[in-house]
Amino acid sequence: DKVQRQAAGALANLSVHPKNKVKLVQAGGLPPLVTLLRSGSDKVKEHAAGAMRNLSMNPELEADLLREGALAPLISLLSSPEIKIQLQAAVALRNLSVTPDSKIKIVEEGAIPVLVTLLRSPDLRLQEQAAVIFRNLSVNSENKVLVVQGDAVPGLLALLRTPQDPTAAEGDPEYEA
């Protein structure tokens, strides 16, 4: 586990650089990272999800991420008891939720109930990520119906009444281990 944690952390750090994202995927980095999203210690999952967060910032890699099955474990990590893991997975899904294919697949993979739960998270960053993902998903006509059927509206309305945290960090820097 110690070695996996260090290697996953190194890959997360390397995946920050735009030129390294494609090279990491071309080198066969996705299958082992997807495997680590499902197994390993919390720290290993955090680093693997951080690498996915960074890779998901490149829209050219979307098809690779979908083909390698990254969505299901990322959605599963939204239910992790560790906020750091939830946040990495949420930002990766937020990045992916921008593209048309992913909008549909994220919903098909069952993300709506987990995202509804995140709208009620005590962590404002997770609330925000869930709201952004819902905003992105709802651009798709079919998703508009599914999001409402999935009971997201009460959680979104509750966020309208939530005071903003003045200490919330602006922007979303890439993840570094």
Side-chain angles (χ1 to χ4, degrees):
D1 180 65
K2 209 171 169 181
V3 174
Q4 280 185 329
R5 185 175 72 236
Q6 298 306 325
L11 290 171
N13 289 346
L14 292 170
S15 66
V16 169
H17 194 283
K19 290 182 181 176
N20 291 346
K21 292 177 189 342
V22 173
K23 288 180 182 177
L24 196 151
V25 171
Q26 289 173 339
L30 282 180
L33 285 170
V34 170
T35 298
L36 291 178
L37 293 173
R38 291 188 173 100
S39 60
S41 70
D42 284 345
K43 206 60 174 168
V44 169
K45 288 178 183 175
E46 179 188 338
H47 293 332
M52 291 295 181
R53 170 187 180 159
N54 296 342
L55 294 172
S56 70
M57 293 182 78
N58 181 337
E60 294 173 20
L61 299 177
E62 174 202 9
D64 297 298
L65 290 163
L66 296 178
R67 185 174 44 257
E68 293 301 332
L71 285 182
L74 286 169
I75 291 167
S76 178
L77 289 176
L78 295 177
S79 299
S80 169
E82 297 295 323
I83 289 177
K84 288 180 178 181
I85 294 172
Q86 287 179 305
L87 193 58
Q88 300 314 320
V91 175
L93 289 167
R94 183 207 64 201
N95 292 341
L96 291 169
S97 71
V98 173
T99 60
D101 286 346
S102 291
K103 282 181 197 333
I104 294 165
K105 292 195 185 313
I106 289 169
V107 171
E108 288 176 349
E109 291 282 343
I112 290 176
V114 186
L115 291 168
V116 168
T117 301
L118 286 186
L119 291 173
R120 296 187 304 269
S121 170
D123 188 287
L124 290 176
R125 297 168 302 173
L126 288 171
Q127 291 175 5
E128 179 184 14
Q129 294 306 318
V132 172
I133 294 169
F134 276 129
R135 184 194 70 204
N136 292 342
L137 295 177
S138 66
V139 170
N140 175 285
S141 295
E142 291 175 22
N143 285 352
K144 282 177 174 60
V145 173
L146 296 171
V147 167
V148 171
Q149 288 174 346
D151 211 25
V153 172
L156 291 166
L157 289 172
L159 294 181
L160 296 178
R161 295 185 290 274
T162 303
Q164 296 302 309
D165 179 3
T167 62
E170 288 297 316
D172 274 318
E174 293 186 71
Y175 174 82
E176 292 195 62

